[in-house]
């Protein structure tokens, strides 16, 4: 007989804690022999692939950052090298630097400082996503800067280092021209990376494949992968959280209709030693399928009544659970006010903090909240710990019961829920066109994740032509004629 090991005790403890967190309104906990923490061979392969993908993305991110740092150091050290090398190589033959030359030193210093701050603000920002392809405009700008600096170095080596030019003021002006050109390249980077996409040119329709939730956004001149990134940034803030439990109602209803059908084959031939058993089984299966299809078609005309009464009953239950929840929460917050009034009379050391107050009043509303969440199929989105944290937050900021209930009465955006619903979610971009090509009228691409996909369709914003119509101000004037015979 095998003795239980310490790992078995640890797994049992983790399972109990998980069950308590998922079923925080229940009074009993059942531990089965199969844990949800067990891994199959397919899960191990999937996890290994995810780890390899993440390592590849990290390596590519650090490689790109390393190249950017090297290029930035080359750009900022090149003007300084132009000024220092003549002093190191032929200092005794240099002409004296006058007042104008010393003023150029100040110009180079401040321009380099401005360029450093501008490059830090535009390029050295924390990356918010990892794109499948390289950003074309940023790569072109990097190549342009590299070619530009190498060209300056080539000219400097051939015309200044070889001849050992003695005109130091001309060398300083050469370094100033390099810094000015770098500032103009930075202005070009702002135009291409930031300003070009501000003017809206396309209207994209984003539809979630499972429940049909749809939003519309206006985007500028973007590539497909940049447009996908903008759509995902809007998705986490605008779309309600994806709830797979609400999608199983239609499937269960169809299964219930088919389960209520029974098929009897009254015309089947009697079994005997001469009958072919395989042919009889095939004929029976074919007749059963045809009979079930015919019965489902006959019941289709009356299925809408069942759907109507089912939805009406569900709405009645939701209203009933909601009313009980609102009353329970209002009573709990009233109890909090009484506790606050009593604590003002106590010593400073006896006052409860918001976390303790939330734990004290939570049991009075826990059952009503659990029934409402189960009725609306939201129990997997809210754990006991998250509800207590939200309750403590509402108590700390002196919020009303309605403000506390708003997170549970209406589904909110994805970012409102726990980090496990959105943190580090892997998205796959599916597009017939190249992801580095720009958006066009009728472009369609998909953003797929594990549970659902987003279908994105782009339409060009139409050209608007306006005309002006002049209205003569005298056309608004009129004359009132009065007759002497009237009483006016």
């Amino acid at each position: 007989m095998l003795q239980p090991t310490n790992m078995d005790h640890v797994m049992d403890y983790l399972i109990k804690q998980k069950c308590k967190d998922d079923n925080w309104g229940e009074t009993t906990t059942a531990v089965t022999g199969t844990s949800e923490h067990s891994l199959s061979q397919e899960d191990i392969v999937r996890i290994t692939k995810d780890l390899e993908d993440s390592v590849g993305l990290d390596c590519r991110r650090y490689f790109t950052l390393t190249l950017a740092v090297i290029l930035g150091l080359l750009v900022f050290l090149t003007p300084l090298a132009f000024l220092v090398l003549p002093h190191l190589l032929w200092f005794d033959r240099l002409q004296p630097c006058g007042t104008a030359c010393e003023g150029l030193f100040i110009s180079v210093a401040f321009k380099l400082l401005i360029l450093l701050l501008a490059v830090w603000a535009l390029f050295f920002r924390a990356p918010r996503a990892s794109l499948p392809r390289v950003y074309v405009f940023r790569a072109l700008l990097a190549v342009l800067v590299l070619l530009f600096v190498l060209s300056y170095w080539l000219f400097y080596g051939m015309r200044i280092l070889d001849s050992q030019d003695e005109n130091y003021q001309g060398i300083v002006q050469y370094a100033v021209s390099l810094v000015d050109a770098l500032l103009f390249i930075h202005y070009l980077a702002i135009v291409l990376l930031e300003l070009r996409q501000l003017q809206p040119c396309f209207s994209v329709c984003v539809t979630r494949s499972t429940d049909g939730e749809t939003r519309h956004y206006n985007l500028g001149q973007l590539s497909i992968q940049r447009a996908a990134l903008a759509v995902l940034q809007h998705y986490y803030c605008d779309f309600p959280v994806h709830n797979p439990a609400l999608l199983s109602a239609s499937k269960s209803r169809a299964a219930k209709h088919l389960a209520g059908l029974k098929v009897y084959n009254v015309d089947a031939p009697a079994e005997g030693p001469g009958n072919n058993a395989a042919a009889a089984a095939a004929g029976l299966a074919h007749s059963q399928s045809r009979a079930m299809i015919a019965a489902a078609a006959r019941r289709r005309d009356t299925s809408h009544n069942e759907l109507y009464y089912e939805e009406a009953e569900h709405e009645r239950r939701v209203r009933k659970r909601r009313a009980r929840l609102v009353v329970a929460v209002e009573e709990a917050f009233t109890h909090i006010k009484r506790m606050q009034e009593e604590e003002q009379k106590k010593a400073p050391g006896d006052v409860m903090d918001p976390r303790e107050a939330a734990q004290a009043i939570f049991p009075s509303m826990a059952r009503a909240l659990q029934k409402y969440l189960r009725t609306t199929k939201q129990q997997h989105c809210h754990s006991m710990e998250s509800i207590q944290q939200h309750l403590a937050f509402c108590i700390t900021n002196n919020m009303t019961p309605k403000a506390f209930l708003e997170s549970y009465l209406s589904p909110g955006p994805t970012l409102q829920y726990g980090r496990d619903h959105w943190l580090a979610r892997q998205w796959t971009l599916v597009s017939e066109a190249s992801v580095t090509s720009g958006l066009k009228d009728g472009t369609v691409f998909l953003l797929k994740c594990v549970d659902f996909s987003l279908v994105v369709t782009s339409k060009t914003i139409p050209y608007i032509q306006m005309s002006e119509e002049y209205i003569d101000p005298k056309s608004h004037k009129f004359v009132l004629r009065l007759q002497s015979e009237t009483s006016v």
Side-chain angles (χ1 to χ4, degrees):
M1 181 177 181
L2 297 176
Q3 297 295 330
T5 61
N6 294 331
M7 184 58 67
D8 296 333
H9 293 298
V10 172
M11 290 300 297
D12 292 340
Y13 175 77
L14 291 176
I15 295 169
K16 291 180 181 179
Q17 294 298 325
K18 179 66 178 177
C19 294
K20 288 180 180 179
D21 185 68
D22 293 342
N23 305 310
W24 47 268
E26 297 291 341
T27 57
T28 59
T29 303
V31 181
T32 60
T34 302
S35 170
E36 64 175 0
H37 297 279
S38 59
L39 296 177
S40 62
Q41 186 66 26
E42 292 78 5
D43 295 335
I44 295 176
V45 174
R46 178 177 54 82
I47 292 174
T48 305
K49 184 179 181 301
D50 294 340
L51 289 176
E52 292 177 354
D53 293 341
S54 63
V55 171
L57 293 176
D58 292 339
C59 292
R60 186 174 64 178
R61 181 188 306 175
Y62 290 129
F63 179 73
T64 305
L65 181 61
T66 303
L67 289 181
V69 170
I70 294 174
L71 183 59
L73 291 177
L74 178 64
V75 167
F76 285 103
L77 294 180
T78 296
L80 301 178
F82 287 171
L83 300 177
V84 173
L85 287 178
H87 284 278
L88 297 178
L89 299 179
W90 61 94
F91 175 73
D92 52 346
R93 289 182 296 172
L94 287 177
Q95 297 178 0
C97 185
T99 305
C101 181
E102 294 176 354
L104 292 177
F105 282 147
I106 300 176
S107 175
V108 169
F110 277 96
K111 286 180 180 179
L112 283 178
L113 178 61
I114 294 173
L115 183 61
L116 177 63
L117 295 177
V119 169
W120 170 79
L122 182 61
F123 294 102
F124 287 91
R125 291 180 288 186
R128 303 299 304 170
S130 177
L131 299 180
R133 299 290 180 88
V134 68
Y135 192 6
V136 177
F137 285 136
R138 182 170 291 187
L140 289 178
L141 288 171
V143 173
L144 177 62
V145 170
L146 181 60
L147 294 177
F148 190 78
V149 173
L150 292 179
S151 302
Y152 260 78
W153 268 111
L154 182 62
F155 185 85
Y156 184 83
M158 295 179 61
R159 299 298 300 270
I160 297 178
L161 290 180
D162 289 346
S163 62
Q164 294 186 354
D165 192 359
E166 299 178 359
N167 185 11
Y168 189 67
Q169 183 176 355
I171 297 175
V172 175
Q173 290 179 347
Y174 183 75
V176 171
S177 66
L178 171 61
V179 178
D180 292 338
L182 292 175
L183 286 173
F184 280 108
I185 292 178
H186 186 271
Y187 172 72
L188 177 63
I190 294 176
V191 172
L192 292 179
L193 302 181
E194 299 294 333
L195 300 182
R196 182 174 178 269
Q197 62 188 20
L198 293 182
Q199 182 179 4
C201 300
F202 299 93
S203 175
V204 295
C205 175
V206 186
T207 305
R208 191 156 57 189
S209 60
T210 52
D211 55 359
E213 193 73 27
T214 304
R215 295 291 187 276
H216 295 268
Y217 304 105
N218 291 337
L219 299 179
Q221 293 284 352
L222 294 173
S223 62
I224 293 179
Q225 63 177 0
R226 302 292 294 183
L229 178 59
V231 167
L232 290 178
Q233 291 174 348
H234 286 294
Y235 168 79
Y236 285 115
C237 298
D238 296 343
F239 274 72
V241 65
H242 180 255
N243 193 351
L246 297 177
L247 306 175
S248 60
S250 58
K251 297 180 181 179
S252 62
R253 190 182 303 113
K256 182 177 65 176
H257 288 329
L258 293 178
L261 299 175
K262 294 183 179 180
V263 180
Y264 299 95
N265 190 5
V266 296
D267 297 331
E271 295 185 359
N275 294 333
N276 192 344
L284 179 61
H286 181 67
S287 61
Q288 286 182 354
S289 61
R290 293 183 59 184
M292 294 183 68
I293 293 174
R298 288 192 298 270
R299 295 186 60 179
R300 189 179 304 164
D301 297 334
T302 60
S303 60
H304 65 279
N305 291 329
E306 299 179 6
L307 176 61
Y308 171 77
Y309 287 112
E310 183 179 348
E311 291 182 350
E313 177 64 21
H314 178 70
E315 293 177 359
R316 185 191 67 82
R317 291 179 59 194
V318 170
R319 290 196 300 268
K320 181 179 178 181
R321 304 297 187 195
R322 177 172 179 170
R324 289 182 178 178
L325 175 60
V326 171
V327 172
V329 172
E330 289 179 351
E331 291 178 354
F333 273 73
T334 304
H335 182 62
I336 289 178
K337 293 182 179 179
R338 290 198 301 265
M339 292 173 59
Q340 291 176 348
E341 294 176 356
E342 294 177 357
E343 289 175 354
Q344 291 178 356
K345 304 176 183 178
K346 296 180 180 180
D350 299 334
V351 178
M352 298 175 59
D353 60 352
R355 179 68 178 178
E356 294 177 353
Q359 293 177 353
I361 67 169
F362 178 72
S364 61
M365 66 174 74
R367 186 169 183 81
L369 181 58
Q370 185 203 24
K371 287 186 176 181
Y372 177 80
L373 294 179
R374 286 189 173 182
T375 304
T376 56
K377 300 185 183 302
Q378 302 182 58
Q379 68 275 10
H380 68 284
C381 298
H382 304 279
S383 62
M384 181 178 63
E385 182 66 22
S386 65
I387 295 174
Q388 290 184 357
Q389 290 179 358
H390 181 56
L391 182 58
F393 175 79
C394 294
I395 295 174
T396 303
N397 296 278
N398 197 19
M399 301 172 72
T400 61
K402 186 176 181 180
F404 169 75
L405 289 171
E406 187 63 25
S407 300
Y408 310 105
L409 298 183
S410 58
T414 306
L415 286 178
Q416 178 181 332
Y417 298 88
R419 297 172 66 87
D420 55 334
H421 289 276
W422 54 270
L423 183 62
R425 172 165 286 181
Q426 181 72 28
W427 292 88
T428 303
L429 176 58
V430 181
S431 174
E432 293 183 358
S434 175
V435 295
T436 56
S437 61
L439 285 177
K440 298 180 182 178
D441 186 21
T443 301
V444 179
F445 59 90
L446 272 71
L447 291 167
K448 299 176 63 177
C449 68
V450 178
D451 302 326
F452 57 91
S453 61
L454 300 177
V455 183
V456 184
T457 306
S458 65
K459 295 291 183 181
T460 305
I461 296 179
Y463 176 78
I464 300 174
Q465 183 176 2
M466 300 179 64
S467 61
E468 180 185 5
E469 181 179 355
Y470 175 74
I471 299 178
D472 189 1
K474 297 181 180 180
S475 63
H476 298 290
K477 297 181 180 180
F478 59 93
V479 179
L480 178 63
R481 299 183 181 275
L482 300 178
Q483 298 179 2
S484 59
E485 293 82 3
T486 61
S487 60
V488 177

